[in-house]
Amino acid sequence: MKILVINSGSSSIKYQLLDMDTESVLVTGLVERIGEAGGVLTATTYPGTGKEKLTRLETTIPDHSTGMKLLIKQISDQQDGVIRDASEIDAVGHRVVHGGESFQQPALITDEVVDAIKANVPLAPLHNPANLDGIRVARQLFAGVPQVAVFDTAFHQSMPPSAFLYALPYELYEKDRIRRYGFHGTSHKYVAFESARILSKPLAECNLITIHLGNGCSMTAVQNGRSVETSLGMTPLEGLIMGTRCGDIDPALHAILHRSRGMDIEEIDAMLNRESGLKGVCGMNDMRDIHAARQQGDRLAKLAFDMFVHRIRKYIGAYFAVLGRVDALVFTAGIGENDREVRKAALAGLENLGIILDHEANGRRPGDWLRISAPESKVELLVVRTNEELEIARQTVEVLG
Ligand code: ADP
């Protein structure tokens, strides 16, 4: 079964064609600068097999429809393509950022589903319209091919009200759906599933703390395979310290900044999302740069690092209390998979929780996964490489039965 996974952004379309009989990637590519000058498609055919072929095509890409036609041409190109024509694609899986409370599961796309995604635009004004562009164009170009929407928020719809509600006037939830939704659900679900496999235990019996540390960062408490608490909230700003996002702050700061600096709401919002987090503290948002600066004795880089790992440790403690029993802590995404210093610092001093790191294992390069707990550790410590495209393709297959 061949599944095309589409992640449509406002000016880009990320895509992957997978053969789900073997769960292997046939093509991975990116159409960029849609509607801007200098449009470009880059793709790798048969990645990671030793038979890779790279494609780079520079051309004007005025809209998503042109971009989608271009990627269809790339995957079905006579010389470099992997299929003869688009009819070989069995289904299309779409990443959709916000499913609100409408979607607890992935959904076969119909007009009603499109309307429900539209109804959630106010919750994700930047992302859902771009996702809808991809869906609209793909439904035109792949008429008759089943299409499935996979939501970043769906995995967290199992949270109980005590975890997802803000302590605000209740009518704000009832009328405006103001509540915590959580994000990165596709990644948390994927690594939870893989962790259960590594632990040789049914997912429905696994209690896990999954720690996704990329540009955006979030943690999820997984109880019996289901999300019961997660750190991102109504928007992807709450919780952990991120590259440019502040994570948890005192909500009174808005009023204080307004009064003391005359900043308006838009300025404060932009600052918290784009000028805060690691970048706000030390001017750098890439953890590799922060390590280099720490080694040069940069005081603020050291402080940003210490704050970043302190916040993770605080959430580990909180999620232990939420779960009661924890089978494994699972690190994933750019920093989680690659950064042994962050893992070491975040886990330091947690021996009383039964968390003991194997320092030698922590220094190894992970393949698809790596066990980094010492034999005497009561809690398993894992690094699992996330794969959101594969998870979207798996869920697409599941929906099609
Ligand atoms: P996104 O959230 O955009 O999907 P990624 O999961 O790719 O991002 O993570 C990107 C971040 O991961 C980078 O900003 C960088 O800080 C970090 N990162 C990537 N590789 C490494 C590495 N080898 N060591 C430390 N940090 C890394």
Side-chain angles (χ1 to χ4, degrees), residues 219-251:
M219 286 173 59
T220 297
V222 178
Q223 189 164 51
N224 300 325
R226 291 156 58 96
S227 169
V228 292
E229 175 65 280
T230 194
S231 61
L232 290 171
M234 169 103 189
T235 75
L237 186 59
E238 199 178 333
L240 300 180
I241 293 172
M242 306 174 225
T244 65
R245 292 175 248 166
C246 59
D248 293 335
I249 52 162
D250 186 335

Side-chain angles (χ1 to χ4, degrees), residues 5 10 37 39 71 77 80 86 109 136 144 209 214 221 247-248 272 308 314 326 336 345:
V5 173
S10 55
L71 76 86
D77 183 87
D80 296 334
I109 296 176
R136 180 179 47 78
I209 299 175
D248 293 335
L272 300 180
F308 184 82
K314 195 161 111 174
V326 178

Side-chain angles (χ1 to χ4, degrees), residues 214-216 286-288 333-335 338-339:
N215 284 312
D286 191 306
M287 198 49 94
R288 289 162 289 197
I335 298 171
N338 297 302
D339 198 320

Side-chain angles (χ1 to χ4, degrees), residues 9 45 109 115 142 208 237 267 309 342 399 401:
T45 303
I109 296 176
D115 287 344
F142 297 95
L208 309 165
L237 186 59
E267 287 172 320
V309 295
V342 164
V399 167

Side-chain angles (χ1 to χ4, degrees), residues 187-236:
S187 174
H188 287 290
K189 185 171 181 187
Y190 176 83
V191 300
F193 180 88
E194 292 300 313
S195 301
R197 199 141 80 167
I198 295 162
L199 300 175
S200 304
K201 201 171 171 176
L203 180 58
E205 291 170 21
C206 285
N207 281 9
L208 309 165
I209 299 175
T210 51
I211 309 173
H212 177 111
L213 306 174
N215 284 312
C217 299
S218 67
M219 286 173 59
T220 297
V222 178
Q223 189 164 51
N224 300 325
R226 291 156 58 96
S227 169
V228 292
E229 175 65 280
T230 194
S231 61
L232 290 171
M234 169 103 189
T235 75

